[in-house]
Amino acid sequence: MYRVLEDRGLEATGLDEGDARELYRHMARARRFDERALNLQRRGWMSGYPPFKGQEASQVGAAYAMAEDDWLFPTYRSNAMLLTLGVAMEDILLFRRGFGEFHRETRTQPIFPQAVPIATQIPHATGVGMAANYVDADHGVVCYFGDGATSEGDFHEGLNFAGVFQTPTLFFCENNHWAISVPRERQTASDTLAQKAIAYGFEGEQVDGTDPLAVADLVRTTLDEVRTGTPFMIESLTYRHGAHTTADDPSRYREASNVDDWRMLDPLERFEGYLLEEGIIDEAEVTDWEDTVNAELTEAVNVVESMEPPPPGDMFDDLFESLPTPLRRQRDDVLTRIERSQSTE
Ligand SMILES: Cc1ncc(C[n+]2csc(CCOP(=O)(O)OP(=O)(O)O)c2C)c(N)n1
């Protein structure tokens, strides 16, 4: 497993102090976002939220290492990646309040919609890699998924075709050890998830997902290879510190922790400690950054609150060129019911 923190340190990587500082800023910003989003959900501000606490180093490290034209296939869990790639906080919050994704379009990165059906994005990511080969494009494709996704047929089909067609796809599996209430050891009898790549004809490697330097360094160097048409799989080892979503109560199926080692470390505290000790950041910078992020969050929440809810019919837009009959009926039914309820108010 690749790790550099508290071991060989920054010097062992192709990153410099500027990168380390940026990684820290993205992580601290993502953490504050996650905390605020949870609080907002508890106030009834949005119906549900999937927290990513414990996974910041892994997600920020991977996103930070991507080039501007690399494609990302995210899931509901990977909001720290979206934030790092320039998706505005208010965009993510708006989505959770029922607006279309990327409502305000602040990003330039090609990012697919978040996959909620598990693993469905994996064949898509392979397909975009095949398309890149057809048109001789030189971008890479990063496909994010969780440990649970490796039990789906789509995972095997996607990796199989990636191997056969040598697609420029990096399969980035974030093993947070839980798929809702199913622990990693009930997911597969394989020693590692990374080794599954070998069966499809390419390499896989494990990385300490609580070490942002290791993740960013590994993703950057593997993406250089991947873009030349060599698929690769990374298993990033993290731990889901919180609930699966705000609709979940993890105390029903797990003790405070089922692992008792480095995976339980708080990646933000760990990295902050390292950077302070190395003199790469100082306490004043930590506090200043926290103030900046809090102001950004307050502004994002204000923007979202100032927007009228989207018309309910919107959810049927942008699905098909022309809406199939069953969906057209559903849309008409929704709109008629709303009209009726408004006229009886
Ligand atoms: C095809 C499909 N089956 C079942 C579900 C219900 N479901 C939602 S999240 C989840 C667990 C996914 O775990 P993992 O892939 O490890 O990702 P994580 O939530 O830990 O990020 C399941 C089974 C779903 N969304 N899609």
Side-chain angles (χ1 to χ4, degrees), residues 271-323:
F271 195 42
E272 194 175 289
Y274 169 82
L275 294 174
L276 287 169
E277 206 174 291
E278 295 291 313
I280 297 173
I281 57 168
D282 58 28
E283 295 285 359
E285 197 174 334
V286 170
T287 323
D288 281 357
W289 184 239
E290 186 148 339
D291 292 345
T292 306
V293 170
N294 281 335
E296 185 189 1
L297 266 164
T298 303
E299 174 61 20
V301 171
N302 286 341
V303 167
V304 173
E305 285 181 345
S306 71
M307 292 177 73
E308 287 294 316
D314 269 17
M315 67 179 137
F316 295 94
D317 292 345
D318 305 323
L319 296 173
F320 293 91
E321 167 94 16
S322 73
L323 214 52

Side-chain angles (χ1 to χ4, degrees), residues 76-77 116-118 144 146-149 152 176 178-180 240 244:
Y76 50 86
R77 181 81 57 209
V116 177
I118 303 305
Y144 171 97
D147 40 298
E152 290 281 357
N176 67 8
W178 289 93
I180 315 185
R240 195 194 79 211
H244 171 72

Side-chain angles (χ1 to χ4, degrees), residues 70-81:
D70 289 334
W71 287 55
L72 175 69
F73 284 75
T75 74
Y76 50 86
R77 181 81 57 209
S78 40
N79 281 323
M81 291 190 88

